[in-house]
Amino acid sequence: IHWKASARKNDIMTKEFEQRQTHDLLIVLDRAPNPSFEAAVTFAASAIRAILKKGAEVGLYSYGKKREYFPAYRGDFQQRKLFYHLAKAEDEASFPLYKVIEQEPMFANQNRSILFIVCQWDQKTIDKICSIKKKKGNIIVFLVIGKKEKIAKRDLDLMDYARKRGLYAKILTEADFGGAFGKGEWAI
């Protein structure tokens, strides 16, 4: 997926100069304990539905007490499988996302676009995600906050930091979910 062209055209665009085109998207759900976790799960389900509806393949990597990985496929069975996982997922991760990225060999060898859904971020996490981007590109990070939460200045500063490092980063409240992919910069 050519993210910049997609943003300009408001539709999914692919890079035509590559030999093998991949439309695979891996969603990484951060399951660290957070009051906004249910909102993040809802957003993940919305993203999965939108991606599959477009005919692309989607996979899911989620970690809590144990690592759970679902390879990218398309279709109704994939949607049911991922939704079932999301329905029973709990915010029970015992260590931060940047440590998961450091220790998980899958991220070092990733050849697809990755969408990170997090409820909290810090500079270490953004730096680790940027290290993946240097190798593979096409990384998106959504910070999800609850309806009643206000966007903190620290989160705005971290979003600017991520964008300056070349990441597409966005802060979403539950009210913004509908426009995260369909009306804005990253239409699916």
Side-chain angles (χ1 to χ4, degrees):
I1 297 174
H2 191 288
W3 293 108
K4 289 181 182 179
S6 295
R8 284 192 301 270
K9 300 283 186 181
N10 203 21
D11 198 10
I12 290 289
M13 304 297 290
T14 58
K15 294 180 184 179
E16 306 233 343
F17 57 87
E18 295 178 354
Q19 268 188 318
R20 181 186 177 274
Q21 295 298 314
T22 180
H23 298 281
D24 296 357
L25 182 70
L26 177 66
I27 294 176
V28 176
L29 179 62
D30 181 8
R31 289 174 39 198
N34 191 288
S36 297
F37 178 71
E38 289 302 319
V41 169
T42 300
F43 178 65
S46 297
I48 289 166
R49 178 176 287 128
I51 293 161
L52 291 173
K53 185 176 178 182
K54 195 70 173 176
E57 295 182 355
V58 65
L60 178 67
Y61 178 93
S62 125
Y63 71 95
K65 288 184 180 175
K66 65 179 188 170
R67 166 193 184 268
E68 300 194 53
Y69 172 65
F70 303 88
Y73 291 106
R74 64 176 56 106
D76 291 337
F77 181 73
Q78 179 73 347
Q79 181 173 307
R80 283 192 304 273
K81 183 169 48 169
L82 298 182
F83 281 7
Y84 179 75
H85 170 74
L86 292 175
K88 58 185 186 121
E90 295 181 30
D91 55 342
E92 59 189 12
S94 55
F95 48 95
L97 180 59
Y98 75 87
K99 288 208 180 270
V100 172
I101 295 170
E102 280 177 357
Q103 297 171 0
E104 179 60 63
M106 181 179 78
F107 290 115
N109 301 315
Q110 202 54 245
N111 64 353
R112 63 184 60 120
S113 298
I114 304 175
L115 184 147
F116 286 89
I117 300 174
V118 301
C119 297
Q120 57 198 3
W121 56 13
D122 56 28
Q123 190 169 342
K124 285 182 184 178
T125 301
I126 292 169
D127 288 340
K128 278 297 168 194
I129 293 171
C130 284
S131 72
I132 298 171
K133 182 178 179 353
K134 288 179 185 173
K135 298 173 189 169
K136 304 297 178 190
N138 298 332
I139 307 280
I140 305 169
V141 183
F142 284 110
L143 174 68
V144 177
I145 61 174
K147 277 183 189 173
K148 296 179 182 178
E149 289 184 64
K150 295 194 187 250
I151 299 172
K153 178 168 179 1
R154 177 182 177 274
D155 289 330
L156 290 171
D157 292 342
L158 284 167
M159 182 177 66
D160 288 339
Y161 175 76
R163 288 180 173 177
K164 287 177 185 170
R165 303 273 325 263
L167 281 179
Y168 178 78
K170 189 169 183 176
I171 300 172
L172 291 176
T173 64
E174 288 181 78
D176 300 328
F177 289 176
F181 292 110
K183 298 175 186 168
E185 301 171 50
W186 296 97
I188 289 188

